[in-house]
Amino acid sequence: MSEYIQLAHGSGGKLSHDLVQHIMLPAFNNPALALLHDGAQVPVDGLRMAFSTDSYVVKPRFFPGGDIGKLAVCGTVNDVAMNGAIPRYLSAGFIIEEGFPVAELRQVVASMQQAALEAGVTIVTGDTKVVEKGAVDGLYINTSGVGFIPEGVNITPGRVKPGQDVFINGYIGDHSIAVMGQRHGLTLPAEVLSDCAPLTGLVRELLTAIPDIALLRDPTRGGVATTLNEIALQANVGILVEETALPVRPEVQAVCDILGLDPLYLANEGKVIVIADSCHREKIVEVMANHPYGAHGRLIGSVAARPAGQVGLQTVIGGIRLLDMLAGDQLPRIC
């Protein structure tokens, strides 16, 4: 660990991993936390509850396809859903800078309510703090969520094994490029919108059709490459991704080519990685194709026994490029 916290410690990449491993886990370690999934799975009166929390500091607060309010609801709802749970209730905490426009706060709150309605959750409790001007950048939001895991569903990295398939439900990198374009005043094609969306409906349909899915994970900070690395390390497996199978919009790829960015490391806010036995391949593709948030979903790779803990990209020219975790921070304050 470095002596001081850097912006990259919040990137979801290597430094974030080090922060959790060396600071958080030694202090708070327990069986629920040790899984390091998108949320905790804890027993409550004979039921299994999923519980997750997240804080949102995105800059700018409004961007093509969403805003900080929609993001705060969808991000936590999706983390609960990644545990195989049906999200039910959210809390919302606001840290507001003195002088913040009330009209803008109304707009953010309305966006949160609309996203909650779509996700089928209720915001039942919250907190508001106002701090002096300059103490925060306008508005920060924290949301926590709970839901219950249906009988027969067991989503955990420990169930990932060689021979399984890896899927994603659509285009990657849209969120980061949309936020970056708005932040820097770039004129981007109309197709480049944040993918911010609640995935509760899609996940529910997938688990109804295939309760035996091994793992769900949303590739937010650090992108697809970092998320797959986390899975490979936790499950002690290798993962091979096909470059030709990765869904990237031409417009997003063009921006990445100009700016030297890699779509595999860009944050997403409406994507889910699904890992399941290959016998479920056709059904998973079918369910995704029939849902609005999975229309561009596809099989992107497979799980292998070796090299354990590593992720490879099968390139167009036939070689294999090793994909590591995000080393620094391609785009800070993306969520």
Side-chain angles (χ1 to χ4, degrees):
M1 280 289 299
S2 59
E3 188 175 354
Y4 298 101
I5 296 297
Q6 306 167 30
L7 274 177
H9 279 106
S11 69
K14 283 184 175 180
L15 290 184
S16 295
H17 179 80
D18 289 345
L19 187 69
V20 171
Q21 291 292 330
H22 299 301
I23 303 295
M24 306 304 178
L25 273 181
F28 306 132
N29 198 18
N30 60 74
L33 180 62
L35 287 177
L36 294 179
H37 193 38
D38 280 328
Q41 300 178 19
V42 293
V44 177
D45 294 336
L47 301 174
R48 289 183 299 152
M49 184 180 77
F51 175 36
S52 187
T53 188
D54 209 339
S55 299
Y56 298 87
V57 298
V58 64
K59 182 179 182 179
R61 290 180 292 276
F62 294 86
F63 45 85
D67 59 55
I68 191 173
K70 180 180 181 181
L71 188 62
V73 171
C74 294
T76 294
V77 160
N78 291 346
D79 281 347
V80 173
M82 294 305 108
N83 289 272
I86 299 171
R88 297 287 300 277
Y89 304 108
L90 293 185
S91 70
F94 299 83
I95 300 177
I96 310 169
E97 182 184 20
E98 177 189 13
F100 191 80
V102 171
E104 188 172 325
L105 182 61
R106 289 186 188 277
Q107 190 175 349
V108 168
V109 169
S111 181
M112 293 179 73
Q113 178 61 1
Q114 184 177 351
L117 286 171
E118 182 182 355
V121 298
T122 307
I123 298 172
V124 295
T125 189
D127 179 57
T128 301
K129 294 290 188 297
V130 177
V131 296
E132 61 273 14
K133 195 168 186 64
V136 299
D137 188 6
L139 174 68
Y140 298 158
I141 302 176
N142 172 274
T143 48
S144 297
V146 297
F148 291 93
I149 303 171
E151 194 69 32
V153 173
N154 183 20
I155 304 297
T156 174
R159 294 191 58 228
V160 175
K161 61 185 180 181
Q164 292 176 329
D165 289 335
V166 181
F167 304 83
I168 197 163
N169 63 311
Y171 294 119
I172 64 174
D174 290 8
H175 175 72
S176 283
I177 296 302
V179 171
M180 183 205 66
Q182 187 71 17
R183 182 183 299 171
H184 298 292
L186 303 179
T187 301
L188 299 176
E191 294 83 1
V192 182
L193 303 172
S194 169
D195 62 342
C196 181
L199 298 176
T200 47
L202 174 59
V203 168
R204 193 174 306 176
E205 290 186 18
L206 283 167
L207 290 174
T208 298
I210 313 107
D212 192 42
I213 285 173
L215 190 68
L216 302 167
R217 190 70 66 84
D218 56 343
T220 52
R221 293 177 305 165
V224 169
T226 299
T227 300
L228 291 178
N229 267 277
E230 292 172 348
I231 295 169
L233 286 169
Q234 291 169 342
N236 196 35
V237 296
I239 296 177
L240 184 64
V241 179
E242 297 288 338
E243 186 175 24
T244 55
L246 287 169
V248 183
R249 293 184 193 275
E251 298 86 355
V252 169
Q253 186 64 62
V255 174
C256 288
D257 290 343
I258 292 170
L259 299 178
L261 301 174
D262 188 337
L264 281 163
Y265 293 96
L266 295 179
N268 310 275
E269 291 294 344
K271 296 296 171 286
V272 52
I273 291 172
V274 180
I275 299 182
D277 292 341
S278 58
C279 61
H280 302 306
R281 183 180 301 172
E282 291 184 6
K283 191 64 178 178
I284 289 174
V285 171
E286 177 188 340
V287 172
M288 284 187 175
N290 289 324
H291 193 279
Y293 294 141
H296 300 284
R298 62 187 70 175
L299 173 71
I300 62 169
S302 59
V303 182
R306 302 180 185 279
Q310 293 189 346
V311 178
L313 179 71
Q314 183 78 53
T315 67
V316 176
I317 61 174
I320 295 180
R321 165 192 161 200
L322 285 180
L323 297 177
D324 204 348
M325 286 188 178
L326 179 64
D329 199 349
Q330 285 202 119
L331 298 171
R333 292 192 51 188
I334 214 72
C335 60

